[in-house]
Amino acid sequence: MVSNMPEVNAEFGATPAIAFPTDKPPVGLKSIEIVEGDGPMVRRGDTVTVNYHGVVWGKDTPFDSSFERHQPASFGIGVGQVIRGWDMTVPGHNVGSRLVVSIPPSYGYGAQGVPQAGIGGEDTLVFVIDIISTR
């Protein structure tokens, strides 16, 4: 188990509830699978459909959440269509899995952040990702 990771409800499909154990995020890119799916494995180059909930470490309000929109997102994984932290952590997990990923700026939006979304250049991002399908 990766230490210092947020606690998240382990119910696939449920809107994530995130509790942060400390003010300081873990160092580097970290990922834990809190629900192991039994569907097909996601591979680099696949088109994956997910529900996700993204927050800045320590914050309650998401900067983006397909759960809140009730609209899953689909994109190529492992091919540079999303931030590097996603490309490096989602492949290798099965459909039906719920992941918690802690992404430092170097694997997210870099030193520039995304100010309009409330993401600073030094912010660590946390995503809860439910893998719905892959093809």
Side-chain angles (χ1 to χ4, degrees):
M1 187 63 120
V2 178
S3 65
N4 205 30
M5 286 291 281
E7 291 184 26
V8 176
N9 52 324
E11 184 182 346
F12 185 91
T15 300
I18 302 172
F20 293 94
T22 68
D23 290 341
K24 284 185 70 96
V27 175
L29 179 65
K30 305 289 185 215
S31 174
I32 55 174
E33 183 178 74
I34 58 173
V35 173
E36 183 179 356
D38 59 5
M41 182 181 289
V42 176
R43 302 190 188 289
R44 292 189 192 287
D46 284 0
T47 297
V48 67
T49 300
V50 300
N51 261 323
Y52 64 90
H53 188 79
V55 298
V56 170
W57 185 276
K59 303 275 173 87
D60 292 330
T61 307
F63 57 80
D64 193 9
S65 176
S66 68
F67 284 97
E68 290 188 353
R69 287 191 304 276
H70 304 288
Q71 177 123 19
S74 297
F75 43 80
I77 195 71
V79 295
Q81 289 186 10
V82 291
I83 58 174
R84 227 170 59 155
W86 278 60
D87 276 347
M88 295 177 69
T89 58
V90 174
H93 293 281
N94 297 343
V95 169
S97 295
R98 173 168 273 200
L99 313 177
V100 180
V101 185
S102 175
I103 303 176
S106 59
Y107 292 93
Y109 296 105
Q112 74 276 5
V114 183
Q116 63 271 28
I119 301 170
E122 295 183 4
D123 287 340
T124 293
L125 308 178
V126 174
F127 283 95
V128 178
I129 304 167
D130 284 2
I131 303 172
I132 297 170
S133 68
T134 190
R135 56 179 172 79

